Amino acid sequence: MEKRDKIYEGKAKIVYTTDKPGLVIQYFKDDATAFNAEKRGTIVGKGVVNNRMSATIFERLGKARIPTHFMATLSDREMLCRRLDIIKIETIVRNVVAGSLAKRTGLPEGTAIRQPIVELYLKSDPLGDPMINDDHVRMLKLAMPRELAWIKRTALRINTVLVPYLRKKQLLLVDFKLEFGRAGKTLLLGDEISPDTCRLWDATTREKLDKDRFRRDLGGVEEAYQEVYRRVVPQQ
Ligand code: UDP
């Protein structure tokens, strides 16, 4: 597989074309940003953790017949993926109150949510990813109604697979963000699933083992990412 042109560089990843038109390479960086890129930094080894963890999770989801863009791991920091036309919606699933949900509702962080919640945000850096609903998705023509229904259903199925899977690794899946895209007429899960995009707490101590350590200056950031890596990624 030959890496060709850079087509996109984001906060944490670079996407390259390949010699195959339908396939791209995702390269995972150590760069970290938070609060719409107001806070910037480096988390040493993060790219490797996020690449390997995402691959492990995408493989698990594939076994559960959830379609993803993942094709193969190419190296420590590179993943071969189906090229997607990304839908400009960030889908968030929540099992426990944290972050913006604690702020919006006044409920204390750590409150259990009986029935998982799905939220939609407009994927827009200039607007700071505002929360939207189904009517806004229709007005902005972000997705067809049946695509949105599939996205919400699939987000909850992913949660149903990942909660017990991570619980066995002593991790509580508090919440996570998903991005979906189209490859032709097929909808696929894209992007990554990693400590950058999930809140993961130790199942017993509730210690934060995710990007909140960076966002909130809690220290031990690299150590937390390495701990998640040890628990989730099968060691060769
Ligand atoms: N999240 C993300 N990218 C974003 C916003 C949120 O990956 O641009 C993830 C975040 O890591 C958390 C979940 O989505 O696991 C819910 O985030 P929340 O709405 O609480 O926002 P935050 O407190 O992170 O600003």
Side-chain angles (χ1 to χ4, degrees):
M1 187 59 51
E2 198 185 308
K3 191 151 97 185
R4 295 236 166 119
D5 308 315
K6 189 195 279 191
I7 45 174
Y8 167 82
E9 176 154 8
K11 292 161 237 171
K13 292 191 292 295
I14 309 175
V15 181
Y16 297 93
T17 57
T18 66
D19 47 334
K20 295 233 168 64
L23 299 181
V24 296
I25 292 172
Q26 286 202 119
Y27 177 93
F28 288 76
K29 302 191 280 187
D30 285 352
D31 298 352
T33 61
F35 312 119
N36 208 14
E38 276 171 42
K39 180 179 167 78
R40 287 168 188 277
T42 302
I43 302 172
V44 176
K46 171 170 85 76
V48 179
V49 174
N50 289 5
N51 181 39
R52 296 276 181 190
M53 170 155 170
S54 295
T56 306
I57 300 251
F58 285 143
E59 276 170 357
R60 179 67 194 84
L61 293 176
K63 280 194 197 131
R65 303 165 67 101
I66 290 162
T68 81
H69 70 155
F70 174 76
M71 299 288 291
T73 298
L74 299 178
S75 72
D76 257 0
R77 288 173 183 275
E78 289 171 313
M79 175 187 286
L80 185 66
C81 298
R82 301 267 301 272
R83 185 170 184 164
L84 295 184
D85 183 9
I86 285 285
I87 294 172
K88 294 206 172 324
I89 300 171
E90 299 197 349
T91 305
I92 288 179
V93 182
R94 301 178 180 274
N95 299 301
V96 177
V97 173
S100 68
L101 184 61
K103 272 206 199 98
R104 188 176 308 111
T105 60
L107 291 169
E109 187 160 87
T111 309
I113 302 169
R114 268 174 200 275
Q115 213 177 320
I117 290 177
V118 178
E119 294 174 350
L120 306 174
Y121 292 82
L122 175 62
K123 191 172 153 58
S124 164
D125 286 338
L127 298 176
D129 297 350
M131 194 182 202
I132 55 172
N133 66 23
D134 293 37
D135 291 343
H136 301 119
V137 170
R138 180 162 31 84
M139 179 184 75
L140 296 170
K141 295 190 169 60
L142 301 173
M144 310 269 287
R146 69 186 145 74
E147 288 179 321
L148 183 59
W150 183 90
I151 285 172
K152 289 185 177 178
R153 215 168 47 234
T154 305
L156 287 171
R157 276 180 67 209
I158 291 170
N159 190 50
T160 302
V161 173
L162 293 187
V163 167
Y165 173 77
L166 292 167
R167 187 64 185 73
K168 286 194 194 102
K169 296 158 195 319
Q170 286 299 310
L171 292 168
L172 173 64
L173 181 60
V174 171
D175 56 32
F176 58 99
K177 187 252 315 182
L178 301 169
E179 294 186 22
F180 295 89
R182 304 178 187 96
K185 283 185 182 156
T186 318
L187 284 178
L188 301 174
L189 175 65
D191 195 45
E192 65 179 284
I193 297 188
S194 72
D196 270 14
T197 63
C198 300
R199 282 196 175 93
L200 296 163
W201 295 354
D202 180 273
T204 311
T205 66
R206 299 207 146 198
E207 185 191 359
K208 293 181 184 4
L209 296 171
D210 55 58
K211 196 172 160 187
D212 269 349
R213 300 206 74 84
F214 170 79
R215 290 191 194 100
R216 302 180 187 185
D217 293 321
L218 299 176
V221 185
E222 274 90 2
E223 291 79 359
Y225 277 73
Q226 292 304 324
E227 182 57 28
V228 170
Y229 180 86
R230 268 195 295 280
R231 293 191 198 185
V232 176
V233 179
Q235 308 299 305
Q236 294 90 349

